[in-house]
Amino acid sequence: MQLRPTKPHPAGLRRRVELDGTESLRLLGSVSLGRIVLTRHALPTIRPVNHIVDRGDIIIRTHDGTALTQRTREAHSPGVVVAYEADDIDPRTHLGWSVVVTGYAQLISDPLELDRYRSMLLPWVEEKMEHAVRIHPDLVTGMLLVPADGAPADQWPTPG
């Protein structure tokens, strides 16, 4: 497989519009892929994962060999501090949105709840994902990237 590099397209200046937590979580729930950030050996580690948003929490599947599974298994209440980021930014215009959630991650141990998430969230890589992790957001920030030239809202990218 050969990946072709993308060339940036001049698209004009952008303006950042801050989003509230409710809208940010709604947008986060409109996409299926994001990036989880945690510490490993005192250094930041970032991994792409798929997710769902359920009752305001972010749920991801994981397996025994991951740092996230190990860290959440060893953690005491309230869990392991993580960050989670997802976005939908057009590669041509650089317009769209980005959401970052910071909170505590906990391994889901209730068998019924785990079965529910196994049916709702299928792994996106070919590995057996025996576990699920819940990230409870404590801090949610989001932003829209819109044209700075005052273009009408109906010409902005459609979030999600």
Side-chain angles (χ1 to χ4, degrees):
M1 176 173 84
Q2 182 179 2
L3 298 176
R4 293 182 294 156
T6 59
K7 296 179 184 175
H9 296 278
L13 296 175
R14 284 142 210 88
R15 180 170 51 91
R16 186 172 58 196
V17 176
E18 298 298 322
L19 300 171
D20 67 23
T22 301
E23 178 64 5
S24 295
L25 285 176
R26 186 192 71 75
L27 288 171
L28 188 65
S30 73
V31 297
S32 61
L33 296 174
R35 289 155 286 293
I36 187 155
V37 182
L38 65 148
T39 57
R40 185 172 183 196
H41 305 295
L43 298 171
T45 300
I46 302 171
R47 296 287 184 263
V49 294
N50 65 324
H51 71 270
I52 59 171
V53 176
D54 186 45
R55 301 178 198 144
D57 291 335
I58 297 115
I59 309 297
I60 62 174
R61 300 268 307 272
T62 185
H63 61 87
D64 270 331
T66 68
L68 179 61
T69 301
Q70 187 65 29
R71 294 284 318 273
T72 55
R73 183 178 284 137
E74 295 168 353
H76 301 287
S77 186
V80 176
V81 174
V82 298
Y84 194 81
E85 189 274 342
D87 54 56
D88 187 6
I89 298 174
D90 184 279
R92 187 179 58 79
T93 64
H94 301 168
L95 301 173
W97 58 267
S98 178
V99 171
V100 176
V101 170
T102 305
Y104 290 94
Q106 294 181 322
L107 204 58
I108 295 171
S109 58
D110 178 85
L112 293 176
E113 193 175 22
L114 187 55
D115 283 345
R116 178 173 173 260
Y117 290 131
R118 284 180 179 148
S119 69
M120 293 172 67
L121 182 59
L122 300 176
W124 69 296
V125 294
E126 190 177 4
E127 290 193 44
K128 186 177 179 186
M129 301 285 183
E130 308 92 359
H131 306 287
V133 171
R134 171 183 291 106
I135 302 167
H136 181 74
D138 281 339
L139 177 61
V140 180
T141 59
M143 67 172 167
L144 282 177
L145 294 170
V146 299
D149 62 6
D154 63 353
Q155 293 179 13
W156 296 358
T158 303

mmCIF file of all heavy atoms in Angstrom, residues 50-82:
data_model
loop_
_atom_site.group_PDB
_atom_site.id
_atom_site.type_symbol
_atom_site.label_atom_id
_atom_site.label_comp_id
_atom_site.label_asym_id
_atom_site.label_seq_id
_atom_site.Cartn_x
_atom_site.Cartn_y
_atom_site.Cartn_z
ATOM 1 N N ASN A 50 -11.358 3.420 18.390
ATOM 2 C CA ASN A 50 -12.738 3.771 18.070
ATOM 3 C C ASN A 50 -13.526 3.877 19.362
ATOM 4 O O ASN A 50 -13.119 3.373 20.402
ATOM 5 C CB ASN A 50 -13.365 2.803 17.068
ATOM 6 C CG ASN A 50 -13.519 1.391 17.585
ATOM 7 O OD1 ASN A 50 -12.691 0.885 18.332
ATOM 8 N ND2 ASN A 50 -14.570 0.735 17.155
ATOM 9 N N HIS A 51 -14.646 4.581 19.297
ATOM 10 C CA HIS A 51 -15.385 4.892 20.521
ATOM 11 C C HIS A 51 -16.873 5.065 20.239
ATOM 12 O O HIS A 51 -17.281 5.193 19.084
ATOM 13 C CB HIS A 51 -14.858 6.192 21.151
ATOM 14 C CG HIS A 51 -15.225 7.405 20.348
ATOM 15 N ND1 HIS A 51 -14.422 7.904 19.347
ATOM 16 C CD2 HIS A 51 -16.327 8.204 20.380
ATOM 17 C CE1 HIS A 51 -14.998 8.953 18.806
ATOM 18 N NE2 HIS A 51 -16.160 9.163 19.415
ATOM 19 N N ILE A 52 -17.627 5.079 21.311
ATOM 20 C CA ILE A 52 -18.998 5.571 21.311
ATOM 21 C C ILE A 52 -19.121 6.521 22.493
ATOM 22 O O ILE A 52 -18.323 6.468 23.434
ATOM 23 C CB ILE A 52 -20.064 4.445 21.416
ATOM 24 C CG1 ILE A 52 -19.874 3.638 22.709
ATOM 25 C CG2 ILE A 52 -20.056 3.567 20.176
ATOM 26 C CD1 ILE A 52 -21.005 2.666 23.007
ATOM 27 N N VAL A 53 -20.121 7.389 22.422
ATOM 28 C CA VAL A 53 -20.460 8.229 23.560
ATOM 29 C C VAL A 53 -21.788 7.693 24.091
ATOM 30 O O VAL A 53 -22.766 7.581 23.359
ATOM 31 C CB VAL A 53 -20.580 9.714 23.155
ATOM 32 C CG1 VAL A 53 -21.031 10.560 24.346
ATOM 33 C CG2 VAL A 53 -19.246 10.224 22.610
ATOM 34 N N ASP A 54 -21.794 7.317 25.356
ATOM 35 C CA ASP A 54 -22.976 6.727 25.977
ATOM 36 C C ASP A 54 -23.242 7.424 27.305
ATOM 37 O O ASP A 54 -22.402 7.367 28.213
ATOM 38 C CB ASP A 54 -22.761 5.226 26.193
ATOM 39 C CG ASP A 54 -24.003 4.524 26.711
ATOM 40 O OD1 ASP A 54 -25.100 4.794 26.182
ATOM 41 O OD2 ASP A 54 -23.882 3.718 27.652
ATOM 42 N N ARG A 55 -24.383 8.092 27.381
ATOM 43 C CA ARG A 55 -24.784 8.799 28.606
ATOM 44 C C ARG A 55 -23.708 9.784 29.072
ATOM 45 O O ARG A 55 -23.431 9.903 30.264
ATOM 46 C CB ARG A 55 -25.128 7.813 29.705
ATOM 47 C CG ARG A 55 -26.247 6.873 29.338
ATOM 48 C CD ARG A 55 -26.515 5.870 30.441
ATOM 49 N NE ARG A 55 -27.275 4.762 29.901
ATOM 50 C CZ ARG A 55 -27.132 3.512 30.260
ATOM 51 N NH1 ARG A 55 -26.279 3.182 31.199
ATOM 52 N NH2 ARG A 55 -27.857 2.568 29.715
ATOM 53 N N GLY A 56 -23.066 10.433 28.113
ATOM 54 C CA GLY A 56 -22.069 11.445 28.437
ATOM 55 C C GLY A 56 -20.671 10.912 28.687
ATOM 56 O O GLY A 56 -19.743 11.692 28.887
ATOM 57 N N ASP A 57 -20.492 9.594 28.690
ATOM 58 C CA ASP A 57 -19.178 8.988 28.865
ATOM 59 C C ASP A 57 -18.669 8.462 27.531
ATOM 60 O O ASP A 57 -19.455 8.080 26.661
ATOM 61 C CB ASP A 57 -19.234 7.820 29.858
ATOM 62 C CG ASP A 57 -19.511 8.267 31.285
ATOM 63 O OD1 ASP A 57 -19.205 9.432 31.621
ATOM 64 O OD2 ASP A 57 -20.024 7.445 32.059
ATOM 65 N N ILE A 58 -17.351 8.418 27.383
ATOM 66 C CA ILE A 58 -16.732 7.854 26.189
ATOM 67 C C ILE A 58 -16.354 6.416 26.519
ATOM 68 O O ILE A 58 -15.719 6.149 27.550
ATOM 69 C CB ILE A 58 -15.489 8.664 25.765
ATOM 70 C CG1 ILE A 58 -15.901 10.091 25.398
ATOM 71 C CG2 ILE A 58 -14.782 8.022 24.587
ATOM 72 C CD1 ILE A 58 -15.343 11.103 26.293
ATOM 73 N N ILE A 59 -16.745 5.495 25.638
ATOM 74 C CA ILE A 59 -16.474 4.076 25.840
ATOM 75 C C ILE A 59 -15.572 3.602 24.707
ATOM 76 O O ILE A 59 -15.843 3.859 23.533
ATOM 77 C CB ILE A 59 -17.777 3.241 25.826
ATOM 78 C CG1 ILE A 59 -18.827 3.823 26.787
ATOM 79 C CG2 ILE A 59 -17.477 1.776 26.104
ATOM 80 C CD1 ILE A 59 -18.453 3.832 28.243
ATOM 81 N N ILE A 60 -14.494 2.912 25.075
ATOM 82 C CA ILE A 60 -13.622 2.307 24.075
ATOM 83 C C ILE A 60 -13.380 0.856 24.463
ATOM 84 O O ILE A 60 -13.503 0.484 25.624
ATOM 85 C CB ILE A 60 -12.290 3.064 23.928
ATOM 86 C CG1 ILE A 60 -11.495 3.053 25.224
ATOM 87 C CG2 ILE A 60 -12.513 4.485 23.465
ATOM 88 C CD1 ILE A 60 -10.123 3.658 25.096
ATOM 89 N N ARG A 61 -13.068 0.043 23.454
ATOM 90 C CA ARG A 61 -12.724 -1.359 23.704
ATOM 91 C C ARG A 61 -11.212 -1.487 23.734
ATOM 92 O O ARG A 61 -10.498 -0.746 23.070
ATOM 93 C CB ARG A 61 -13.296 -2.251 22.595
ATOM 94 C CG ARG A 61 -14.811 -2.196 22.454
ATOM 95 C CD ARG A 61 -15.546 -3.226 23.249
ATOM 96 N NE ARG A 61 -15.127 -4.587 23.047
ATOM 97 C CZ ARG A 61 -15.590 -5.423 22.115
ATOM 98 N NH1 ARG A 61 -16.509 -5.010 21.276
ATOM 99 N NH2 ARG A 61 -15.141 -6.656 22.039
ATOM 100 N N THR A 62 -10.716 -2.466 24.485
ATOM 101 C CA THR A 62 -9.280 -2.662 24.616
ATOM 102 C C THR A 62 -8.987 -4.139 24.888
ATOM 103 O O THR A 62 -9.916 -4.925 25.103
ATOM 104 C CB THR A 62 -8.706 -1.736 25.719
ATOM 105 O OG1 THR A 62 -7.298 -1.851 25.756
ATOM 106 C CG2 THR A 62 -9.295 -2.048 27.077
ATOM 107 N N HIS A 63 -7.738 -4.495 24.868
ATOM 108 C CA HIS A 63 -7.354 -5.891 25.122
ATOM 109 C C HIS A 63 -6.261 -5.950 26.183
ATOM 110 O O HIS A 63 -5.731 -4.923 26.612
ATOM 111 C CB HIS A 63 -6.945 -6.600 23.826
ATOM 112 C CG HIS A 63 -5.773 -5.982 23.141
ATOM 113 N ND1 HIS A 63 -4.479 -6.299 23.438
ATOM 114 C CD2 HIS A 63 -5.715 -5.048 22.165
ATOM 115 C CE1 HIS A 63 -3.665 -5.609 22.674
ATOM 116 N NE2 HIS A 63 -4.386 -4.826 21.889
ATOM 117 N N ASP A 64 -5.927 -7.151 26.587
ATOM 118 C CA ASP A 64 -4.982 -7.350 27.700
ATOM 119 C C ASP A 64 -3.617 -6.731 27.486
ATOM 120 O O ASP A 64 -2.982 -6.305 28.423
ATOM 121 C CB ASP A 64 -4.810 -8.843 27.993
ATOM 122 C CG ASP A 64 -5.810 -9.335 29.017
ATOM 123 O OD1 ASP A 64 -6.235 -8.528 29.868
ATOM 124 O OD2 ASP A 64 -6.169 -10.522 28.959
ATOM 125 N N GLY A 65 -3.127 -6.664 26.275
ATOM 126 C CA GLY A 65 -1.771 -6.221 26.044
ATOM 127 C C GLY A 65 -1.548 -4.721 26.035
ATOM 128 O O GLY A 65 -0.424 -4.274 25.856
ATOM 129 N N THR A 66 -2.574 -3.921 26.258
ATOM 130 C CA THR A 66 -2.406 -2.471 26.149
ATOM 131 C C THR A 66 -2.032 -1.829 27.477
ATOM 132 O O THR A 66 -2.377 -2.308 28.559
ATOM 133 C CB THR A 66 -3.697 -1.794 25.640
ATOM 134 O OG1 THR A 66 -4.711 -1.912 26.643
ATOM 135 C CG2 THR A 66 -4.173 -2.409 24.340
ATOM 136 N N ALA A 67 -1.332 -0.704 27.351
ATOM 137 C CA ALA A 67 -0.988 0.080 28.541
ATOM 138 C C ALA A 67 -2.253 0.580 29.222
ATOM 139 O O ALA A 67 -2.322 0.627 30.452
ATOM 140 C CB ALA A 67 -0.096 1.258 28.147
ATOM 141 N N LEU A 68 -3.272 0.930 28.437
ATOM 142 C CA LEU A 68 -4.521 1.427 29.019
ATOM 143 C C LEU A 68 -5.188 0.365 29.882
ATOM 144 O O LEU A 68 -5.628 0.650 30.998
ATOM 145 C CB LEU A 68 -5.471 1.903 27.920
ATOM 146 C CG LEU A 68 -6.810 2.424 28.397
ATOM 147 C CD1 LEU A 68 -6.642 3.647 29.305
ATOM 148 C CD2 LEU A 68 -7.702 2.765 27.212
ATOM 149 N N THR A 69 -5.255 -0.854 29.394
ATOM 150 C CA THR A 69 -5.864 -1.930 30.189
ATOM 151 C C THR A 69 -5.085 -2.126 31.488
ATOM 152 O O THR A 69 -5.673 -2.211 32.569
ATOM 153 C CB THR A 69 -5.895 -3.243 29.394
ATOM 154 O OG1 THR A 69 -6.637 -3.044 28.194
ATOM 155 C CG2 THR A 69 -6.538 -4.358 30.195
ATOM 156 N N GLN A 70 -3.778 -2.191 31.374
ATOM 157 C CA GLN A 70 -2.940 -2.398 32.560
ATOM 158 C C GLN A 70 -3.103 -1.259 33.562
ATOM 159 O O GLN A 70 -3.271 -1.490 34.754
ATOM 160 C CB GLN A 70 -1.475 -2.539 32.149
ATOM 161 C CG GLN A 70 -0.569 -2.925 33.289
ATOM 162 C CD GLN A 70 -0.882 -4.315 33.833
ATOM 163 O OE1 GLN A 70 -1.365 -5.186 33.120
ATOM 164 N NE2 GLN A 70 -0.638 -4.503 35.108
ATOM 165 N N ARG A 71 -3.039 -0.017 33.079
ATOM 166 C CA ARG A 71 -3.137 1.144 33.972
ATOM 167 C C ARG A 71 -4.499 1.207 34.647
ATOM 168 O O ARG A 71 -4.591 1.487 35.844
ATOM 169 C CB ARG A 71 -2.880 2.441 33.210
ATOM 170 C CG ARG A 71 -1.473 2.607 32.662
ATOM 171 C CD ARG A 71 -0.428 2.967 33.713
ATOM 172 N NE ARG A 71 -0.823 3.932 34.689
ATOM 173 C CZ ARG A 71 -0.722 5.251 34.572
ATOM 174 N NH1 ARG A 71 -0.196 5.775 33.491
ATOM 175 N NH2 ARG A 71 -1.116 6.045 35.545
ATOM 176 N N THR A 72 -5.575 0.970 33.903
ATOM 177 C CA THR A 72 -6.913 1.038 34.519
ATOM 178 C C THR A 72 -7.147 -0.125 35.465
ATOM 179 O O THR A 72 -7.845 0.023 36.461
ATOM 180 C CB THR A 72 -8.021 1.096 33.442
ATOM 181 O OG1 THR A 72 -7.885 -0.003 32.542
ATOM 182 C CG2 THR A 72 -7.987 2.403 32.681
ATOM 183 N N ARG A 73 -6.554 -1.265 35.170
ATOM 184 C CA ARG A 73 -6.693 -2.424 36.064
ATOM 185 C C ARG A 73 -6.019 -2.153 37.408
ATOM 186 O O ARG A 73 -6.510 -2.556 38.457
ATOM 187 C CB ARG A 73 -6.079 -3.653 35.400
ATOM 188 C CG ARG A 73 -6.239 -4.925 36.218
ATOM 189 C CD ARG A 73 -5.656 -6.134 35.506
ATOM 190 N NE ARG A 73 -6.558 -6.545 34.438
ATOM 191 C CZ ARG A 73 -6.162 -6.894 33.220
ATOM 192 N NH1 ARG A 73 -4.894 -6.878 32.893
ATOM 193 N NH2 ARG A 73 -7.048 -7.265 32.328
ATOM 194 N N GLU A 74 -4.892 -1.442 37.387
ATOM 195 C CA GLU A 74 -4.138 -1.163 38.611
ATOM 196 C C GLU A 74 -4.637 0.064 39.361
ATOM 197 O O GLU A 74 -4.283 0.269 40.516
ATOM 198 C CB GLU A 74 -2.659 -0.951 38.254
ATOM 199 C CG GLU A 74 -1.986 -2.181 37.696
ATOM 200 C CD GLU A 74 -0.633 -1.879 37.096
ATOM 201 O OE1 GLU A 74 -0.255 -0.686 36.988
ATOM 202 O OE2 GLU A 74 0.062 -2.840 36.713
ATOM 203 N N ALA A 75 -5.432 0.889 38.716
ATOM 204 C CA ALA A 75 -5.834 2.176 39.301
ATOM 205 C C ALA A 75 -6.875 1.999 40.397
ATOM 206 O O ALA A 75 -7.706 1.102 40.356
ATOM 207 C CB ALA A 75 -6.391 3.088 38.222
ATOM 208 N N HIS A 76 -6.788 2.877 41.353
ATOM 209 C CA HIS A 76 -7.808 2.971 42.378
ATOM 210 C C HIS A 76 -8.779 4.067 41.965
ATOM 211 O O HIS A 76 -8.538 4.810 41.014
ATOM 212 C CB HIS A 76 -7.165 3.288 43.730
ATOM 213 C CG HIS A 76 -6.171 2.238 44.150
ATOM 214 N ND1 HIS A 76 -6.544 0.988 44.579
ATOM 215 C CD2 HIS A 76 -4.815 2.251 44.164
ATOM 216 C CE1 HIS A 76 -5.468 0.282 44.855
ATOM 217 N NE2 HIS A 76 -4.400 1.019 44.614
ATOM 218 N N SER A 77 -9.868 4.198 42.688
ATOM 219 C CA SER A 77 -10.852 5.230 42.391
ATOM 220 C C SER A 77 -10.189 6.595 42.464
ATOM 221 O O SER A 77 -9.348 6.816 43.334
ATOM 222 C CB SER A 77 -11.998 5.138 43.404
ATOM 223 O OG SER A 77 -13.007 6.026 43.068
ATOM 224 N N PRO A 78 -10.449 7.522 41.583
ATOM 225 C CA PRO A 78 -11.475 7.523 40.538
ATOM 226 C C PRO A 78 -11.015 6.959 39.201
ATOM 227 O O PRO A 78 -11.787 6.922 38.247
ATOM 228 C CB PRO A 78 -11.808 8.999 40.395
ATOM 229 C CG PRO A 78 -10.526 9.700 40.653
ATOM 230 C CD PRO A 78 -9.823 8.863 41.698
ATOM 231 N N GLY A 79 -9.772 6.497 39.056
ATOM 232 C CA GLY A 79 -9.304 5.936 37.796
ATOM 233 C C GLY A 79 -8.012 6.591 37.352
ATOM 234 O O GLY A 79 -7.317 7.240 38.125
ATOM 235 N N VAL A 80 -7.685 6.418 36.078
ATOM 236 C CA VAL A 80 -6.463 6.932 35.473
ATOM 237 C C VAL A 80 -6.794 8.190 34.693
ATOM 238 O O VAL A 80 -7.748 8.201 33.903
ATOM 239 C CB VAL A 80 -5.852 5.881 34.516
ATOM 240 C CG1 VAL A 80 -4.638 6.429 33.793
ATOM 241 C CG2 VAL A 80 -5.512 4.614 35.270
ATOM 242 N N VAL A 81 -6.015 9.239 34.885
ATOM 243 C CA VAL A 81 -6.228 10.472 34.133
ATOM 244 C C VAL A 81 -5.822 10.249 32.679
ATOM 245 O O VAL A 81 -4.720 9.764 32.403
ATOM 246 C CB VAL A 81 -5.433 11.652 34.729
ATOM 247 C CG1 VAL A 81 -5.552 12.891 33.853
ATOM 248 C CG2 VAL A 81 -5.907 11.950 36.140
ATOM 249 N N VAL A 82 -6.740 10.589 31.762
ATOM 250 C CA VAL A 82 -6.480 10.472 30.328
ATOM 251 C C VAL A 82 -7.039 11.700 29.627
ATOM 252 O O VAL A 82 -7.838 12.457 30.199
ATOM 253 C CB VAL A 82 -7.130 9.207 29.718
ATOM 254 C CG1 VAL A 82 -6.566 7.934 30.329
ATOM 255 C CG2 VAL A 82 -8.642 9.244 29.846
#
